[in-house]
Amino acid sequence: MLKRYQQLTGISLRPMLVNTLWVALDALFALVPYLLVFQLLSVLIADNQLPETWPYYCLAIAVCVLVRMVMIRIANLKQSYLATLVGEKTRNGLLSKLTNIPMGRLLSIDLGTLNNTLLKDVDHVEHAFSHVVSHLMAVLCTLSVILLGLAYFDWRLALSMAAGIPLACGAFYWLNKASLTSKAQLYQAGDELTDTIFDYIAGIKILRAHGCAGGEILSLDEKSKSARDAHLAFEKRATLAPAAFIVLAESGFALLISLGIYWVLDGQVTVSVLLLFLLLSTQFYRPIMQAGILISQWQFFQSAMDRVAGVLAEPGLDNITDSSPKQSSNNGSNPFSGVELTNVSFAYQQQQVLSQVSFTVKPNTVTAIVGPSGSGKSTLIHLLARFWDVQSGQILLSGQPINSLNQTQIAQLVSVVFQQVYLFDDSILNNLTMGNPSISTDEIERCCQMASCWEFIQSLPQGLDTQVGEGGTKLSGGEKQRISIARALLNQSPLILLDEATAALDAENELKVKQAVSHLVANKTVIMVAHNLSSITHVDQIVVMNNGKVEAVGKHEALLSDCETYQALWRDHQSSTSWCL
C-alpha cells in the first residue's frame, strides 16, 4: 500500500503519516466520553447514587466534544492537503510521461481510456490515499486499542467480541474476488462510452449532414446502455462483500451478550465490566463497518491505480527528459552542419515501415521526400522530430546522434509545420510564444508579417489576445497554418520539417501560406514531404521512397530519366492538374 503510494505519486510518506495520525487521534479521542460515562455508571451501580463530582464529568465530556471539533477541523485540512498533493503529483507524473512516450504508442491508446486515466483514475488515486488509506489505518488503530484495552479487563469477552472477524475476512475475500470480472467490464464500458462521446463531438457536423445526429452511426445509445448495465452488474456483486463482512463481523456481538450474561450470572464477570464492553462495542463495531466499506473502496480503486501505473510504466524515448544544459542551435561558433541518416529501420506494431534508409541533407538546402501512399514519408518526418526512436541505424542532427538530445535541444534544432495544425484553446499570443514567453512584441510582429498573418490578427477585435478556441476552431484553415508558420519562425531553428503545409487550402490561402513558407525556409535546412510535384522541381534534392526504402535520390530532371517510381508519380501529377469537369 505504501509502496504503491510512492510509486504513483513520487512524494514522501510524511504527508500521509501526518494525515493518518490526526485521523487516528480523532478516532481514539472519541473513546474518552464513553470511558467517562462508564466511570459514572460504575459508581452509580456500586453506590446507588451519582458521585458529587458528576458535574465535572459532564464538563469533561463537553470539553472532549469541543476538542474533537478542533481535531476534526485539523484532520480535514490535512486530508484536503494530502488529496490535492497526490492529485497534483500524480497528474504531473502522467503528463511528464506522455511527453516521453513514442507518438506511435501514444496514438494507439484510446482517447477515452487516456481521458479516464488522467481525470477519473487520478481522482480515484487521490481519494484512495487521502481518505481510504488514512481512515483504514486509523480504524485498525482504533480497533486494536479497544480490543487490547478490553482484554485487560477480560480477555474472554474481548475474544468473543472479535470472534466474527476471521469469518468476515474470509467471506469478504471470496465475494470480492467474484466481482473482479464485473469491475473490468465496468472500466471497459466506461472507456468505450467516453471514446464514443469524443467521436460524436468531433464528428457532429458529419453526423448532422447525414441525418444521424442522434448518434445511431456511433451506437451512442447502445454504449450508454452497456455502461449502465455494467455499472449495475458491478454494484450487485461489489456490495455483497462489504455487506457480508459487516454482518459476519457483528455476529460477535451476539456471542458477547450471551457469554457476558452467562458469566455475570455465574459470578465470573462483574456487571460494570459487562457494561464497559457493551458501551465500547458501539465504538468497536462501527469502525468494523467502516473498515468493510473502506477495504471495498480500496479494492475498487486498485484498478484505477493499475491503469495509472500502466501509463507510468510505458517505455519512453531514451534521454528525452535529460536536463543537460541548453545549447545554442545556430550560432557562429557552432553552425548547423546538416542531417545524416544511416541504415535507418523502423517498425510499428510488428509492421516494417522503414528499411535501411540512408541519405544526407546538407546545410542550407531543400530536400523533398516523395513517394506513393504508405511509403514511409511521414514516418521519416516523425523520426527526424524524434516523436519515435529508430530501432536500428542512426540519425545525426548537426553531427549529434538524435537519441542523445533532449527535448529542449531538439526544439532548438528543429521546427515542424504539420499539414493538420492544432492550436490550443488560448490567445493567439500564447500560441505563438509557446515555450518562449520572453519573445518581444517587435519580434512577434516581424515574424507574423513574414508569415502573412499580421494583417488578419490586427483585424480581430482583441488582436493578439483573441481566443482561438479548442484546436483553433475560431480561425480558418489558412489562418491557423500561417500562425503555425509564424510560431516556427519565432523558434528560429536551423532545420525546418514541412508536411505538405499547403494541402487542402483554397487558392488565396495557398498563395499566402507559400509566401510565408518562403520566409520560413530562407537560409535554413529544409526537409519537406511533398505531394504537389510542381512545387519541388527546383529543390536541391528529391528523395524517392517506395515500400519503406529509398529508391533514388537526385534532382527532378535526373529522376524523370532514371527512376520509375518518380516517373509514375509525375505522370499522375500531370494527369491530376489537367483534369477538369
Side-chain angles (χ1 to χ4, degrees):
M1 189 179 292
L2 297 180
K3 183 179 179 181
R4 175 57 68 93
Y5 164 81
Q6 290 186 307
Q7 174 193 8
L8 298 182
T9 65
I11 55 181
S12 68
L13 294 175
R14 187 176 183 276
M16 176 184 282
L17 296 177
V18 170
N19 181 42
T20 302
L21 177 63
W22 279 103
V23 175
L25 287 175
D26 171 59
L28 293 174
F29 204 76
L31 301 176
V32 176
Y34 290 88
L35 295 176
L36 293 173
V37 170
F38 167 70
Q39 289 291 333
L40 280 173
L41 292 178
S42 296
V43 175
L44 179 61
I45 292 172
D47 301 339
N48 203 26
Q49 63 178 6
L50 287 173
E52 294 180 357
T53 57
W54 70 266
Y56 297 106
Y57 280 91
C58 295
L59 179 62
I61 292 172
V63 170
C64 287
V65 172
L66 293 175
V67 171
R68 276 207 69 204
M69 291 175 62
V70 175
M71 294 180 70
I72 290 173
R73 169 69 173 169
I74 296 174
N76 287 338
L77 290 175
K78 296 295 182 183
Q79 190 169 268
S80 298
Y81 171 75
L82 178 61
T84 54
L85 184 63
V86 168
E88 175 195 4
K89 295 299 183 181
T90 305
R91 281 196 178 89
N92 286 345
L94 285 170
L95 293 175
S96 177
K97 187 65 181 183
L98 292 180
T99 64
N100 191 21
I101 296 176
M103 287 298 298
R105 172 55 187 150
L106 184 59
L107 294 175
S108 70
I109 303 175
D110 289 337
L111 187 58
T113 301
L114 198 57
N115 176 76
N116 284 340
T117 299
L118 288 170
L119 298 177
K120 189 184 296 183
D121 290 346
V122 173
D123 284 343
H124 288 166
V125 170
E126 177 183 310
H127 186 81
F129 290 122
S130 62
H131 291 69
V132 176
V133 172
S134 299
H135 283 275
L136 185 58
M137 293 175 71
V139 163
L140 295 177
C141 178
T142 304
L143 292 175
S144 301
V145 169
I146 292 175
L147 204 57
L148 291 174
L150 290 178
Y152 174 79
F153 290 94
D154 193 296
W155 65 269
R156 296 170 302 171
L157 288 178
L159 192 61
S160 64
M161 178 185 288
I165 293 179
L167 185 62
C169 291
F172 182 91
Y173 174 79
W174 289 109
L175 291 172
N176 187 70
K177 190 175 181 180
S179 69
L180 293 179
T181 302
S182 58
K183 181 166 61 175
Q185 293 171 347
L186 172 65
Y187 273 89
Q188 181 179 355
D191 289 344
E192 290 177 355
L193 177 59
T194 304
D195 206 29
T196 303
I197 290 173
F198 282 141
D199 283 345
Y200 178 80
I201 293 172
I204 194 166
K205 289 192 296 184
I206 304 300
L207 292 171
R208 284 186 178 183
H210 289 270
C212 300
E216 296 87 350
I217 296 296
L218 297 175
S219 304
L220 184 58
D221 186 57
E222 181 182 336
K223 297 288 177 62
S224 297
K225 289 179 181 178
S226 297
R228 178 201 64 190
D229 294 341
H231 185 82
L232 291 175
F234 173 76
E235 289 293 335
K236 287 178 182 178
R237 294 185 180 183
T239 53
L240 288 175
F245 180 85
I246 293 168
V247 171
L248 292 175
E250 290 185 350
S251 64
F253 185 68
L255 185 62
L256 169 67
I257 293 177
S258 302
L259 293 177
I261 293 175
Y262 175 78
W263 284 328
V264 166
L265 294 176
D266 194 44
Q268 299 182 46
V269 176
T270 64
V271 173
S272 60
V273 169
L274 180 59
L275 179 62
L276 175 63
F277 273 84
L278 294 177
L279 278 173
L280 290 183
S281 64
T282 59
Q283 290 299 300
F284 182 77
Y285 291 115
R286 187 170 65 180
I288 286 180
M289 180 177 68
Q290 293 175 341
I293 296 172
L294 291 170
I295 295 173
S296 181
Q297 288 181 340
W298 175 259
Q299 293 294 329
F300 176 76
F301 292 148
Q302 282 281 18
S303 295
M305 288 184 252
D306 290 341
R307 284 154 56 108
V308 171
V311 174
L312 293 175
E314 285 283 346
L317 299 171
D318 295 335
N319 302 322
I320 194 69
T321 56
D322 185 7
S323 57
S324 54
K326 293 184 179 181
Q327 299 176 359
S328 177
S329 58
N330 192 22
N331 54 42
S333 60
N334 187 27
F336 185 73
S337 61
V339 180
E340 183 179 350
L341 290 85
T342 306
N343 297 325
V344 170
S345 296
F346 179 78
Y348 175 60
Q349 291 185 344
Q350 309 304 318
Q351 181 180 356
Q352 194 71 30
V353 181
L354 298 175
S355 179
Q356 300 294 307
V357 172
S358 299
F359 62 89
T360 300
V361 177
K362 295 180 179 180
N364 300 322
T365 62
V366 178
T367 297
I369 302 175
V370 302
S373 178
S375 59
K377 303 183 296 296
S378 295
T379 301
L380 270 176
I381 295 294
H382 292 155
L383 291 174
L384 290 167
R386 210 189 169 194
F387 294 155
W388 296 311
D389 271 340
V390 299
Q391 291 163 344
S392 64
Q394 188 179 55
I395 296 177
L396 299 179
L397 293 184
S398 195
Q400 304 175 77
I402 193 171
N403 59 0
S404 69
L405 303 175
N406 61 37
Q407 275 188 316
T408 300
Q409 294 167 324
I410 291 175
Q412 290 174 332
L413 290 170
V414 182
S415 288
V416 187
V417 178
F418 295 104
Q419 179 178 330
Q420 298 295 329
V421 178
Y422 187 89
L423 299 181
F424 293 95
D425 189 8
D426 205 335
S427 66
I428 293 176
L429 176 63
N430 288 339
N431 273 282
L432 287 170
T433 59
M434 184 175 59
N436 191 4
S438 61
I439 299 174
S440 68
T441 304
D442 291 340
E443 180 66 10
I444 292 172
E445 180 179 349
R446 185 184 70 83
C447 290
C448 286
Q449 287 177 340
M450 293 173 65
S452 302
C453 62
W454 184 250
E455 183 178 349
F456 92 77
I457 291 175
Q458 289 300 98
S459 68
L460 297 173
Q462 295 176 290
L464 286 169
D465 294 324
T466 300
Q467 301 292 310
V468 301
E470 185 177 355
T473 53
K474 296 181 181 179
L475 302 177
S476 70
E479 290 169 343
K480 290 193 293 184
Q481 190 63 274
R482 281 177 275 160
I483 287 176
S484 74
I485 293 172
R487 185 164 57 190
L489 281 166
L490 288 166
N491 198 33
Q492 298 182 349
S493 303
L495 175 62
I496 307 296
L497 305 178
L498 296 174
D499 189 1
E500 195 57 63
T502 60
L505 296 178
D506 57 68
E508 180 183 358
N509 273 307
E510 182 178 0
L511 177 60
K512 291 181 178 179
V513 169
K514 284 182 177 179
Q515 292 172 345
V517 169
S518 67
H519 289 294
L520 174 64
V521 302
N523 302 316
K524 301 288 180 67
T525 305
V526 180
I527 301 176
M528 59 185 294
V529 172
H531 300 96
N532 182 1
L533 299 189
S534 297
S535 65
I536 61 169
T537 56
H538 300 294
V539 300
D540 297 289
Q541 69 174 355
I542 301 171
V543 177
V544 182
M545 299 291 299
N546 193 12
N547 294 322
K549 298 181 179 180
V550 175
E551 184 171 319
V553 178
K555 289 184 176 291
H556 171 72
E557 292 80 5
L559 293 173
L560 275 180
S561 301
D562 303 330
C563 181
E564 292 183 2
T565 298
Y566 190 76
Q567 292 169 359
L569 291 171
W570 183 255
R571 287 195 299 269
D572 292 341
H573 171 69
Q574 293 292 92
S575 299
S576 67
T577 55
S578 63
W579 182 88
C580 63
L581 285 172

